[in-house]
Amino acid sequence: MQQPGDYVWFLLIVIVLLCVISLLLAWPVGLPMLGPSLIFAVLYYWSRREPYAELNMMSFAIKGYQFPFVMMMFTLLMGGSIWGDLLGLAAGHVYYFCREIMPQTYGINIISTPGFLARAMVKYQPQAPGAPPPVAPQRPLFQGGGQRLGGN
């Protein structure tokens, strides 16, 4: 996530994915609380982006890729339901696969931040003190080689 609107786009896509998966699992009304699932999707995506980050969980050293599963284990140990966590894991994994794996493996990018969102969010991009203000990304006006008409 490098562009200013990437995180907002990530949240919008994951919210839609959570709603669709929720409706598929509990038709016709869906699951009532998807907030914890959204948080777990963000956590899962971070763990995939930073797999070797060192974490300490109750004095146990774990890696970033293990963190979502450790959280699910603690939820189970405390007698909670992991359905919300699994829902977030599924939505986060679908986003990760479409955003990171498909472009690298197959050369297909089906999830990219729309230009209007990147331009709208550029003013909220953090900047270093004393740095010049960020410039909105310009959309290309013309991308074709073109054909000359009526001439040689």
Side-chain angles (χ1 to χ4, degrees), residues 125-139:
Q125 186 175 8
Q127 56 183 340
V135 183
Q138 298 292 323
R139 69 176 203 191

Side-chain angles (χ1 to χ4, degrees), residues 55-62 74:
L55 300 168
N56 286 320
M57 181 102 175
M58 297 188 186
S59 73
F60 292 106
I62 59 173
F74 277 117

